[in-house]
Amino acid sequence: MKGKSTRILAASALSLSAMTSAFATGVYAPYVDVTAWPTPQFDVIGVQHGIQQFTMAFVVAAGSSQCVPSWGGVQNIGSGNSSDLLTSLSTSLTNYRAKGGEVSISFGGENGTPLMQACSTASALQTAYQTVLDSYAVTHIDFDIEGAAQEDTAAITRNFQAVKALQTAATAKGSTLHVTLTLPVMPTGLTQDGINILNSAISNKVTFDAINVMAMDYGSASIEMGTAATQAASSLYSQLDTAFKSAGQTLTDAQLWQMVGVTPMIGMNDVQGETFTLADAQTLLNVARSDGFGMLANWSVGRDQSCPNNGAYTASDCSGITQTPYAFASVFEQLNGHWGTGVTTDASYTGSSSSSSSSGSSGSSSSGSSGSSSSSSSGNGSSGSSASSGSTGSSSTGTTGSTTPIAGAAWSATQIYTAGMTVTYQGSTYKAQWWTQGDVPGQAAVWKQTAGTTPTWSSTMAYTGGSCVMYANVKYCAKWWTQGDVPSSGGVWVKQN
């Protein structure tokens, strides 16, 4: 998804009692972009608004050839790592679990290198996944497989071999590892790549709770998004039926519907003209409840609010439509199943920083959740609808650099900057949104301009809706996320008088 539970369903046997217990009423598990800036306090969001579980996105490889798990590609996960980002996530998770909530962790997404491609063997991949499971003590995981990764058949096979091994190991310990697969979709259903992934999961005997389709960015400005989402769900139902029958299994209608998950991108999508409205949300909820969907989610909970001044543009931190905060959540959470003990809504809840540890490490605690309980909040930004890579970074992460820079000093290509630090460059002031070194202000999304002249347009810079640039001595402002589109009248850019 520009970043998407147990229905116990094995290729050789079907346990209806186990299936019914996990998704009996369906669950709502919205995605939270944990690398957004500031780091979302998802415990506060969840408790204040009665959200029972979240899907934390995204874990990818630390580097294109590094079989090491990380948040967003820059903040490594595992024993010995520490940073403000890890501390903040650990705090939120500990507090959220104490309030009855639970999470799934999503691997993949649109950006970065998926671990299944970075790790060369199934056993190495299993180890990388196990690091994340142990660090956060999770029993629910998601695989958001999109882009080029969909066509990497060797990596997909390796992925499901590793997941099957993880599930077998969990079973041996008397536990269950719940798995969902998040895949692109059209109203007509999964693409052929998606069908191939589904078939690979079944043939490798992976037990999965649901196929969660990304009902977004279809490519048509005239499409009605609520209808398209329900059509995609119906098409997926038929594809699941065909896939399992081809594997020698016949499932009931209820079993098939409970394996259907749908994740829309709320508000304005990246494709101009595609807008998923609150009315669309109610339509989708009605069908989900009547047909018995296993899950609903949305990209993302951080977008569940209007943009400043009710701006109509696509952004990572607002919907682009006029709405009250968390209006989509208030609709979807009526699908009220839960993985944890159950969250009781408390509008006065503001989080807690009273736990004993503040190390920020990602190791799991004796309570079954991870890390420390410091209430610091930091992270990285994202653009468009996708979770972009980045992290807060800190000297404790093991990264070395020059001495701490003075706030507002001239930018240096060799200096390490962490979230919140400011620099000056070519007469303008910029603030770092996450850890960075060598990224030129005004040419990299990590830097947010806070003062000074309008920057010159850069073909390599990703701009969010509302960003303004100078091009050929004319000022233009973006209506939605864009990169590489030359400013001109019409399209994404609007000429300013």
Side-chain angles (χ1 to χ4, degrees), residues 1-4 29-40 42 53-61 69-75 77 85-86 89 93 102-112 132 136 138 140-146 180 182 212 214 216 263 297-303 316 339 378-383 385-391:
M1 210 168 302
K2 289 170 294 199
K4 306 219 196 302
Y31 282 82
V32 55
D33 179 3
V34 302
T35 58
W37 169 253
T39 305
F42 57 85
Q53 51 272 311
F54 289 100
T55 303
M56 298 170 66
F58 290 101
V59 173
V60 296
S70 73
W71 288 115
V74 292
Q75 178 54 69
I77 298 170
L85 174 60
L86 294 177
L89 296 181
L93 184 55
E102 192 47 82
V103 300
S104 173
I105 291 182
S106 185
F107 296 86
E110 183 188 46
N111 295 332
V132 179
Y136 295 102
V138 292
H140 290 78
I141 57 176
D142 172 63
F143 293 94
D144 184 316
I145 305 173
E146 53 184 301
T180 55
T182 296
N212 175 34
M214 291 181 273
M216 61 186 76
T263 295
N298 57 264
W299 182 262
S300 63
V301 74
R303 300 185 71 250
S316 62
W339 299 331
S378 59
N380 81 325
S382 61
S383 60
S385 66
S386 62
S388 64
S389 63
S391 86

Side-chain angles (χ1 to χ4, degrees), residues 209-405:
D209 293 0
I211 299 295
N212 175 34
V213 295
M214 291 181 273
M216 61 186 76
D217 291 341
Y218 300 111
S220 172
S222 61
I223 198 165
E224 205 295 307
M225 298 296 282
T227 300
T230 59
Q231 288 175 341
S234 181
S235 299
L236 173 63
Y237 167 94
S238 298
Q239 291 173 321
L240 286 166
D241 187 33
T242 298
F244 280 102
K245 283 179 177 176
S246 297
Q249 299 180 64
T250 300
L251 278 63
T252 66
D253 286 347
Q255 290 166 347
L256 289 167
W257 280 119
Q258 288 198 341
M259 296 186 73
V260 170
V262 180
T263 295
M265 179 179 174
I266 54 177
M268 293 180 66
N269 284 214
D270 296 299
V271 175
Q272 186 179 14
E274 289 190 10
T275 301
F276 189 90
T277 67
L278 284 164
D280 293 328
Q282 188 62 55
T283 295
L284 180 58
L285 173 70
N286 293 343
V287 175
R289 297 175 78 176
S290 63
D291 288 343
F293 290 11
M295 70 179 297
L296 290 177
N298 57 264
W299 182 262
S300 63
V301 74
R303 300 185 71 250
D304 200 352
Q305 59 186 334
S306 291
C307 296
N309 300 315
N310 289 323
Y313 52 83
T314 302
S316 62
D317 56 357
C318 56
S319 65
I321 66 173
T322 301
Q323 63 160 101
T324 57
Y326 304 102
F328 285 95
S330 69
V331 174
F332 288 145
E333 67 188 16
Q334 295 176 59
L335 202 64
N336 59 2
H338 51 83
W339 299 331
T341 58
V343 173
T344 299
T345 303
D346 179 2
S348 66
Y349 175 77
T350 58
S352 170
S353 59
S354 61
S355 299
S356 59
S357 171
S358 60
S359 66
S361 67
S362 61
S364 61
S365 67
S366 59
S367 66
S369 60
S370 62
S372 68
S373 58
S374 167
S375 61
S376 64
S377 176
S378 59
N380 81 325
S382 61
S383 60
S385 66
S386 62
S388 64
S389 63
S391 86
T392 59
S394 73
S395 59
S396 59
T397 63
T399 306
T400 59
S402 57
T403 57
T404 301

Side-chain angles (χ1 to χ4, degrees), residues 421-433 440-457 461-464 466-470 475-476:
M421 290 183 175
T422 58
V423 300
T424 57
Y425 183 72
Q426 294 184 343
S428 297
T429 303
Y430 297 85
K431 178 185 286 187
Q433 299 185 82
V440 180
Q443 299 180 26
V446 62
W447 291 107
K448 181 177 182 180
Q449 185 177 1
T450 59
T453 58
T454 303
T456 302
W457 174 77
M461 176 73 174
Y463 299 96
T464 57
S467 298
C468 297
V469 299
M470 294 297 296
K475 183 178 180 180
Y476 295 88

